[in-house]
Amino acid sequence: MTYRQFKRQAKLTQEDFCLEMLAAHREDIKAKKQRTAVKNLELIFQATLKVSNQKGFQAMTMRDLSKASGLSIGALYDYFNGKEALLEMIQGAGRRITRRVMRQAVSGGEAPPEKLASAIRAHLYLSEAMQPWFFFSYMEARHLGKVEKQRAKEGELATERHIAEVIKEGKRQGVFAGVDHLLTAAVIKGMLQDWYLKRWKYAKRRVSVERYADFVVGLAQGYCTGGLGPAGAGEARDE
Amino acid sequence: MTYRQFKRQAKLTQEDFCLEMLAAHREDIKAKKQRTAVKNLELIFQATLKVSNQKGFQAMTMRDLSKASGLSIGALYDYFNGKEALLEMIQGAGRRITRRVMRQAVSGGEAPPEKLASAIRAHLYLSEAMQPWFFFSYMEARHLGKVEKQRAKEGELATERHIAEVIKEGKRQGVFAGVDHLLTAAVIKGMLQDWYLKRWKYAKRRVSVERYADFVVGLAQGYCTGGLGPAGAGEARDE
DNA sequence: GTCTATATACGGATAGAC
DNA sequence: GTCTATCCGTATATAGAC
């Protein structure tokens, strides 16, 4: 699947994102008309990611946000009850969207090598389409409350587990060599993460998301099918 | 080389780090006696990383730092002129140490596969020994001033370039296949970064730095020597 | 060399006008 | 629905005592 196809099929516009936020916080938001609410949420969302990804969420003041969004400080408080709530609103919405997309990506009945490729591509394309959110989400996870932080970690691990499961299944079927599926999934996750954390680097080098995806898929499939790994050299224990 | 050997040979204690900071800021620091200066710098350094890696450098107040270090706010100002200066002092010292160690790591006259392994191991062992600093350095790079931020990026790219050069040399000598040396170096860098950014994950799974290093070295050498890569499929352009 | 006390400024949040 | 004006807490940084 190409990035173009993916983006058309998945609902990942800024508007979709704000609809997700609105649905989850309908009662708390003062604006009654959906059109108004979504319009302003888009302004807030955009401004938050812009300012926050430059100087950090903590360093972003309500005055900054007011200026960047065009809404007054008072109006902002009609959409969220303080900075912490704003952070959780944005984090939560993105997490739910990510989970939905990743679930769908590995739900098909493909063979392990293709399933592995699908998972890798889905995550890369998703993080390409929502890059500012992914960056934001990683960098600001520290500032979440205890409960929300736990959820963020869970989301993080879920993606990795998806990949590990596919590799494990491939080993069971005999199409993959005896690689360490946990460590392999971990480093693949690291490669996926590099795509959205180091955007500037890849942009400067004119590496497209598709070329990066081809590269990572090739490396992962090659490692899993080829006999590169130190087969049976002891696996990583979870917990 | 094992982690133990590495740690003994390289000077990477907290005291060494603070000596580096002191040397670079000798005039600005009020304390004249070296013993006093280093002792307090250690308190400040330790407290900064501890509080900052929990809640973020921006969120850390001078009061927090005073409490965590045991020094009064007034005393803190005798060692650095405000938070921004403190940030740059810590970032700069770590960067200089990193550069020194990485240079040494690839300076030997080994063959490319071993040189590749040396570079990977050196970076992993270094980031293991100075994990709090590496995490801090990555997470707080945004809060640096323009000049310092540029230097941080440069340091980042320098490590990657070291790796890319080794791969390129290996290709020239015919011991490595026609892999894309820039993309390969980039994903290897991503794997190295995962080690210090996701410490909690690997700690939970009881993965030691040596096992992780063996894994990454195996993967990298396998990929470069084995014919996995899409040979000659067009390389990444720098800039 | 290190501390306490304080000047000064800035941030989050709210009340109430429009 | 949105804005302006303002309260109040807390932050940085400094002055000057010890």
Side-chain angles (χ1 to χ4, degrees):
Chain A
M1 187 186 294
T2 66
Y3 178 54
R4 233 179 214 322
Q5 294 172 315
F6 172 85
K7 213 178 167 185
R8 278 218 345 216
Q9 162 212 293
K11 296 257 183 197
L12 298 173
T13 65
Q14 183 173 275
E15 193 187 344
D16 293 315
F17 196 101
C18 293
L19 280 167
E20 173 68 41
M21 284 200 286
L22 182 59
H25 297 266
R26 199 61 195 93
E27 309 85 67
D28 312 326
I29 291 172
K30 301 290 187 299
K32 292 305 162 206
K33 266 184 292 198
Q34 169 144 328
R35 280 200 32 89
T36 313
V38 171
K39 186 199 73 180
N40 285 338
L41 279 175
E42 287 196 51
L43 290 172
I44 293 168
F45 175 68
Q46 200 159 29
T48 303
L49 291 198
K50 185 183 168 179
V51 178
S52 197
N53 285 350
Q54 263 172 20
K55 52 156 69 176
F57 185 78
Q58 286 276 352
M60 178 188 73
T61 68
M62 292 299 286
R63 284 168 176 81
D64 288 336
L65 188 55
S66 168
K67 195 169 291 184
S69 67
L71 296 171
S72 70
I73 293 186
L76 291 176
Y77 278 91
D78 290 339
Y79 288 88
F80 54 87
N81 297 316
K83 280 178 75 179
E84 193 177 326
L86 172 62
L87 179 58
E88 295 189 354
M89 186 164 73
I90 293 177
Q91 294 272 41
R95 227 163 38 228
R96 289 190 294 277
I97 291 173
T98 299
R99 190 171 50 209
R100 170 159 54 75
V101 171
M102 288 308 292
R103 281 231 176 109
Q104 202 191 4
V106 292
S107 67
E110 304 162 304
E114 285 71 38
K115 220 166 182 170
L116 180 60
S118 295
I120 291 171
R121 265 181 223 288
H123 199 280
L124 286 173
Y125 291 167
L126 177 65
S127 66
E128 172 73 5
M130 307 206 315
Q131 195 269 343
W133 180 84
F134 270 81
F135 185 84
F136 176 84
S137 172
Y138 183 76
M139 297 302 279
E140 310 302 345
R142 271 188 298 180
H143 305 308
L144 288 167
K146 222 182 152 197
V147 181
E148 289 291 312
K149 205 185 297 186
Q150 190 52 41
R151 283 190 193 152
K153 268 191 192 175
E154 262 313 307
E156 160 97 41
L157 289 176
T159 300
E160 193 171 323
R161 211 151 35 218
H162 277 147
I163 296 173
E165 284 303 316
V166 173
I167 297 172
K168 208 170 167 185
E169 174 65 16
K171 286 200 290 188
R172 220 182 45 79
Q173 291 185 21
V175 291
F176 284 163
V179 299
D180 183 327
H181 61 275
L182 281 175
L183 267 184
T184 306
V187 298
I188 289 174
K189 184 81 202 339
M191 295 185 225
L192 300 183
Q193 186 163 279
D194 212 50
W195 181 253
Y196 61 83
L197 287 185
K198 300 289 179 52
R199 243 281 184 100
W200 56 274
K201 202 170 75 178
Y202 295 109
K204 207 181 88 171
R205 293 177 186 167
R206 309 265 160 77
V207 178
S208 71
V209 67
E210 265 140 357
R211 190 144 85 78
Y212 190 77
D214 288 345
F215 184 84
V216 174
V217 166
L219 179 51
Q221 287 182 338
Y223 183 69
C224 289
T225 57
L228 280 182
E235 310 256 311
R237 282 182 300 275
D238 208 337
E239 198 136 9
Chain B
M1 188 187 293
T2 66
Y3 178 54
R4 233 177 214 324
Q5 294 173 315
F6 172 85
K7 214 176 167 187
R8 278 215 348 213
Q9 161 210 294
K11 295 257 183 199
L12 298 173
T13 66
Q14 184 173 274
E15 193 186 346
D16 294 314
F17 196 101
C18 292
L19 280 167
E20 173 68 42
M21 284 200 287
L22 182 59
H25 297 266
R26 200 60 194 93
E27 309 85 68
D28 312 326
I29 291 173
K30 301 290 187 301
K32 293 304 163 207
K33 265 183 293 198
Q34 169 144 327
R35 281 202 28 91
T36 312
V38 171
K39 187 201 73 183
N40 284 338
L41 280 175
E42 286 196 50
L43 290 173
I44 293 168
F45 174 69
Q46 199 159 29
T48 303
L49 291 199
K50 184 183 168 179
V51 178
S52 197
N53 284 351
Q54 264 172 17
K55 51 157 68 178
F57 185 78
Q58 286 277 351
M60 178 188 73
T61 68
M62 293 298 284
R63 282 176 176 80
D64 289 336
L65 189 55
S66 168
K67 195 168 291 183
S69 68
L71 296 171
S72 70
I73 293 185
L76 292 176
Y77 278 91
D78 289 339
Y79 288 89
F80 54 87
N81 298 314
K83 281 177 73 179
E84 193 176 327
L86 172 61
L87 179 58
E88 295 189 354
M89 187 164 71
I90 294 178
Q91 293 272 41
R95 227 164 39 228
R96 288 190 294 278
I97 292 173
T98 298
R99 190 171 50 208
R100 172 160 54 76
V101 171
M102 288 308 293
R103 281 230 177 110
Q104 202 192 3
V106 293
S107 67
E110 303 162 305
E114 284 71 39
K115 218 166 182 170
L116 181 60
S118 295
I120 291 171
R121 265 180 224 288
H123 198 280
L124 286 174
Y125 291 168
L126 177 64
S127 66
E128 172 74 5
M130 308 206 313
Q131 195 269 344
W133 180 84
F134 270 81
F135 185 84
F136 176 83
S137 172
Y138 183 76
M139 296 302 278
E140 311 302 346
R142 273 189 295 182
H143 305 307
L144 289 167
K146 222 183 151 197
V147 181
E148 287 293 311
K149 204 185 299 185
Q150 190 51 41
R151 283 190 194 152
K153 269 190 190 176
E154 262 314 306
E156 159 97 42
L157 289 176
T159 301
E160 192 171 323
R161 211 151 36 218
H162 277 148
I163 296 173
E165 284 304 316
V166 173
I167 296 173
K168 207 170 167 186
E169 174 64 16
K171 287 200 291 188
R172 221 182 44 79
Q173 292 185 20
V175 290
F176 284 164
V179 299
D180 183 327
H181 61 275
L182 280 174
L183 268 184
T184 306
V187 298
I188 289 174
K189 184 82 202 338
M191 295 185 227
L192 301 183
Q193 185 163 280
D194 213 50
W195 179 252
Y196 61 82
L197 286 185
K198 300 288 178 53
R199 245 281 183 101
W200 55 274
K201 202 170 75 177
Y202 295 109
K204 208 181 86 167
R205 293 178 186 166
R206 310 266 160 74
V207 178
S208 71
V209 66
E210 264 141 358
R211 190 145 84 79
Y212 190 77
D214 288 344
F215 184 84
V216 174
V217 166
L219 179 51
Q221 287 182 336
Y223 182 69
C224 288
T225 56
L228 280 182
E235 310 255 312
R237 283 182 299 276
D238 208 338
E239 198 136 10

